[in-house]
Amino acid sequence: MIPPQILGILYALASAAAWGSGDFTGGVAARSQDQFRVLYLMTIPGIIVLALIAYAFGEPLLPSVRDILWAASAGLCGAFGIATLYRGLSLGNMAIVAPTAAVIGAGLPVLFSSITMGLPDVKKLAGFLLAGIGIWLVSRPPNGHDRLSVRGLNYAFIAGTCFGGYFIFVAQVDAGLVFSPLIYAKTASLMLAIIIILFRHERLPGLRGSATAVLAGVFDAGGNAFYMLARQFTRLDTAAVLASMYPAVTVVLAGLILKEKVLVSQWHGLAVCLAAIALISS
């Protein structure tokens, strides 16, 4: 039988893999469409997938008002974060924007957990520090002074703050629930996208408009579900830091598929992230 702590770590890493894949496909979709149209397209399949899973596992589709409010708040944070991130990714260098947003997004839950739950043990603290260093190394751009990098980092800062809020807010729902709160989180995301698109006097896109965006939605729903499972078995900071390693997947996919340049230092960053995982899981 797998110990609960290890199970939580495995779920968090699965969340990172799914989110990293979703950010890659969503970033590709945002190169040809506005980020809020991408958000709209990816949220609908996410709601459908989560509703089917919740029904299959027998979770109540109507949780308490408190849980709905926390989930909806998390959804709004996550939606704005995703839209901002995809705008940054669409500027052309995924290896800059996604990792920087992840560092900020992981730092806020660590601070929150340290205040509310106390500091973790020394090994985990060392693992968190290594994780931050690893993600920073992954995020180093080829030229840190060009306009593209500055604009991308501005988007990354906003996105990371929103992601940190998402991690904290969604962890406040009833510990026994996994999938049903995410339906309301994604519904809030969908409403935000619809309002912004209609406010611009644009037509809502059809689901056939971007298969890449729909695929991003499936990945994103999986990442959310795995994160919710992770926080059932481990501390918020551990789940958030490990899940925030999703840029490693984004960077590798960008290098393999889009042939974006991946620096030697970024590969070193991936190795440091692996060392961090070993410390956090020890």
Side-chain angles (χ1 to χ4, degrees):
M1 184 176 180
I2 302 176
Q5 174 69 11
I6 299 300
L7 196 58
I9 288 170
L10 292 176
Y11 280 134
L13 293 175
S15 175
W19 271 335
S21 300
D23 282 348
F24 171 76
T25 50
V28 171
R31 291 186 175 186
S32 59
Q33 295 201 50
D34 176 80
Q35 66 267 34
F36 287 101
R37 294 172 70 85
V38 173
L39 178 63
Y40 170 83
L41 288 170
M42 66 178 286
T43 303
I44 294 176
I47 293 174
I48 295 172
V49 169
L50 291 167
L52 290 174
I53 296 175
Y55 178 79
F57 279 83
E59 279 195 10
L61 295 181
L62 187 62
S64 69
V65 174
R66 173 186 176 278
D67 289 336
I68 291 175
L69 290 176
W70 278 118
S73 299
L76 290 175
C77 273
F80 195 75
I82 288 173
T84 307
L85 177 67
Y86 285 177
R87 175 55 181 163
L89 293 176
S90 70
L91 295 178
N93 197 331
M94 293 185 175
I96 300 173
V97 179
T100 306
V103 171
I104 299 171
L108 291 178
V110 170
L111 178 62
F112 179 83
S113 291
S114 297
I115 294 172
T116 59
M117 303 175 63
L119 292 172
D121 59 49
V122 175
K123 282 187 177 181
K124 283 187 172 55
L125 281 175
F128 294 160
L129 178 61
L130 273 184
I133 294 172
I135 296 173
W136 179 81
L137 286 171
V138 171
S139 72
R140 292 182 65 184
N143 181 356
H145 302 288
D146 57 22
R147 289 186 60 190
L148 177 62
S149 297
V150 172
R151 291 180 62 198
L153 288 174
N154 287 337
Y155 284 115
F157 180 83
I158 297 171
T161 302
C162 292
F163 292 154
Y166 172 83
F167 282 133
I168 294 170
F169 290 161
V170 80
Q172 306 309 308
V173 304
D174 189 329
L177 297 176
V178 176
F179 305 105
S180 57
L182 294 176
I183 298 173
Y184 294 91
K186 288 298 174 187
T187 300
S189 300
L190 180 63
M191 293 299 102
L192 176 64
I194 291 174
I195 290 171
I196 291 177
I197 292 172
L198 295 181
F199 181 78
R200 295 173 173 176
H201 303 290
E202 299 174 358
R203 295 180 61 182
L204 296 175
L207 287 179
R208 297 180 180 179
S210 176
T212 308
V214 173
L215 179 61
V218 175
F219 280 129
D220 182 67
N224 282 276
F226 282 126
Y227 174 73
M228 290 293 281
L229 288 168
R231 65 106 194 184
Q232 304 275 339
F233 298 100
T234 190
R235 284 171 53 112
L236 169 62
D237 47 14
T238 299
V241 168
L242 292 176
S244 293
M245 290 183 180
Y246 62 83
V249 178
T250 306
V251 168
V252 170
L253 290 176
L256 292 176
I257 298 176
L258 299 182
K259 307 303 180 184
E260 286 194 2
K261 184 178 181 180
V262 181
L263 304 178
V264 173
S265 61
Q266 291 175 316
W267 289 115
H268 290 165
L270 295 176
V272 173
C273 285
L274 291 177
I277 293 171
L279 277 175
I280 294 171
S281 60
S282 61

